[in-house]
Amino acid sequence: MRSLSDTLERLARLRSVKPATSPGSILKKLDHFGANPGALAAWQHVPKQLPAGPALVVVLHGCTQTAASYDVGSGWSALAEDYGFIVLFPQQNRQNNANLCFNWFNAADTQRDRGEVMSIRQMIASVVAEHGVDERRIYITGLSAGGAMANAMLACYPEVFAGGAIIAGLPYAAALTVPEAFDRMRGQGLPGTNSLQESLRTASRHDGAWPTISVWQGTSDNTVVPDNAAALVAQWRGVHAVPVQPTQIETMGRNLRSVWHDDRGLEAIELYIISGMGHGTPIEASSGYGRAAPFMLDVGVSSTVQIARGWGLAASFERRGQPHASSFPDETVKQPPSPAGADNSIQSIIEKALRSAGLMK
């Protein structure tokens, strides 16, 4: 655990740094949310028309990004304004990490009630208390290092979250040093399934329902390779008691959604494979939510809208008052996994995507 003097030093440096802003951002600073042992900053957006018992979405930016830039790129605050939920944006500072990455590979920041995960937990508690958030509807998402840290939050505080969405992220406790982190990003030395599942189970003493998990991965991501998406699914299969292979596959044009149902028939884990996408968050600028930028990739799929819809936060794919084409083509095909060797073009795409994610040999 960090010493008190180290924590105080990091907090002093944090206060001396002027927060980065981004044109178009509507976020407001959140102050006084706790001891903040990870020395993080916090930003939020509370919609003008806030219903009683609103939902809360925690959003974690990627490396080199700020809360404001990720918000403008992803469109989360705009969606929250339209549909009446709160968004909370923890923000890294350069004194903690020179590249503004959340320290997902540092045990001092990724163990329950320590470091950065504790700071984020304190932010959540502050927002919940101030705005009367429905504690049954708290969710978390993030990109890359933010996705890995979102997964750490889900592992350390599973009782807090109803669901999580991990975009180009990595498994919990897969790395403990910077060199290991780079190796895991390249798919080298990833722990086996048993080790991944044990790390998740021992991160807390949780014995209740587990959060649903949504994993997003581009097939052409050379920064965090698709093996990590497979490892994320494997890590969460144990607590959800779901089979190795998905129980349902949906094809959406050239993209793929695989679903693992639990023993109640509910969707416990989903995996989106975005064909040809590199490293970043998939957006659809024409949806009215999000804007193309570095690591914010306009691939015609709004992960923000799709994730919010899956959590029951957005009523449809369409922005209120601004009809437009849905995030996925109408010709969605649902089918169970098929044997290898199928020669139709859609099945070939499915098999290629599954193989690239390590889910099919």
Side-chain angles (χ1 to χ4, degrees):
M1 179 177 284
R2 290 195 182 99
S3 66
L4 176 61
S5 60
D6 179 44
T7 298
L8 291 174
E9 179 184 355
R10 293 178 71 177
L11 285 167
R13 289 190 307 226
L14 172 61
R15 293 189 185 99
S16 68
V17 177
K18 184 178 180 180
T21 59
S22 183
S25 173
I26 57 176
L27 301 182
K28 303 296 184 183
K29 190 77 179 293
L30 174 67
D31 290 313
H32 312 301
F33 52 80
N36 192 14
L40 301 177
W43 299 78
Q44 64 179 334
H45 176 65
V46 180
K48 296 180 182 67
Q49 301 296 324
L50 188 67
L56 170 65
V57 177
V58 183
V59 182
L60 302 179
H61 63 79
C63 298
T64 75
Q65 297 175 319
T66 64
S69 67
Y70 192 79
D71 180 38
V72 171
S74 64
W76 270 108
S77 285
L79 193 74
E81 186 65 35
D82 282 352
Y83 288 98
F85 58 89
I86 299 172
V87 280
L88 167 66
F89 287 81
Q91 181 175 282
Q92 185 59 281
N93 78 83
R94 214 169 290 279
Q95 282 65 41
N96 289 345
N97 187 291
N99 291 317
L100 297 178
C101 308
F102 290 100
N103 290 308
W104 62 271
F105 47 82
N106 185 355
D109 284 306
T110 57
Q111 294 182 25
R112 187 179 172 102
D113 298 341
R114 297 178 63 182
E116 291 179 10
V117 296
M118 183 57 174
S119 290
I120 298 170
R121 178 68 185 96
Q122 291 174 341
M123 296 174 197
I124 294 169
S126 176
V127 174
V128 168
E130 181 175 357
H131 298 288
V133 168
D134 183 347
E135 295 186 67
R136 299 167 299 177
R137 295 196 299 153
I138 300 175
Y139 306 90
I140 190 166
T141 184
L143 166 67
S144 193
M149 187 58 85
N151 196 45
M153 290 296 298
L154 291 161
C156 292
Y157 301 101
E159 76 281 4
V160 171
F161 301 102
I166 303 153
I167 304 172
L170 298 100
Y172 175 68
L176 296 176
T177 66
V178 172
E180 286 184 357
F182 280 112
D183 283 345
R184 305 304 179 262
M185 291 164 65
R186 293 187 288 259
Q188 299 171 3
L190 283 165
T193 298
N194 290 340
S195 177
L196 289 169
Q197 294 181 355
E198 179 65 15
S199 294
L200 176 61
R201 289 185 183 279
T202 58
S204 71
R205 296 181 178 178
H206 185 60
D207 61 358
W210 290 84
T212 62
I213 301 298
S214 179
V215 178
W216 290 72
Q217 179 70 46
T219 61
S220 298
D221 189 339
N222 296 318
T223 301
V224 178
V225 301
D227 286 350
N228 285 283
L232 280 163
V233 171
Q235 183 162 66
W236 284 93
R237 280 195 297 101
V239 294
H240 283 296
V242 297
V244 174
Q245 292 296 325
T247 49
Q248 179 182 322
I249 287 177
E250 302 175 10
T251 59
M252 304 94 163
R254 297 173 61 241
N255 303 314
L256 171 78
R257 176 177 180 257
S258 300
V259 182
W260 286 258
H261 292 91
D262 62 19
D263 56 8
R264 298 168 296 172
L266 302 177
E267 294 185 0
I269 305 172
E270 64 178 4
L271 168 65
Y272 282 86
I273 296 292
I274 308 301
S275 181
M277 189 180 77
H279 187 64
T281 293
I283 67 166
E284 182 187 17
S286 64
S287 70
Y289 300 108
R291 184 185 304 169
F295 309 113
M296 310 303 297
L297 308 179
D298 191 353
V299 294
V301 177
S302 174
S303 57
T304 299
V305 174
Q306 186 69 8
I307 290 165
R309 188 172 186 263
W311 290 338
L313 302 181
S316 73
F317 287 109
E318 298 178 357
R319 186 170 190 176
R320 291 182 177 180
Q322 295 188 15
H324 59 83
S326 66
S327 293
F328 287 120
D330 292 335
E331 57 269 21
T332 299
V333 178
K334 297 185 180 182
Q335 59 189 65
S338 301
D343 57 5
N344 65 81
S345 59
I346 291 180
Q347 185 61 32
S348 296
I349 293 168
I350 293 173
E351 292 181 0
K352 182 178 180 181
L354 286 173
R355 287 193 182 97
S356 72
L359 296 171
M360 178 181 286
K361 300 298 185 182

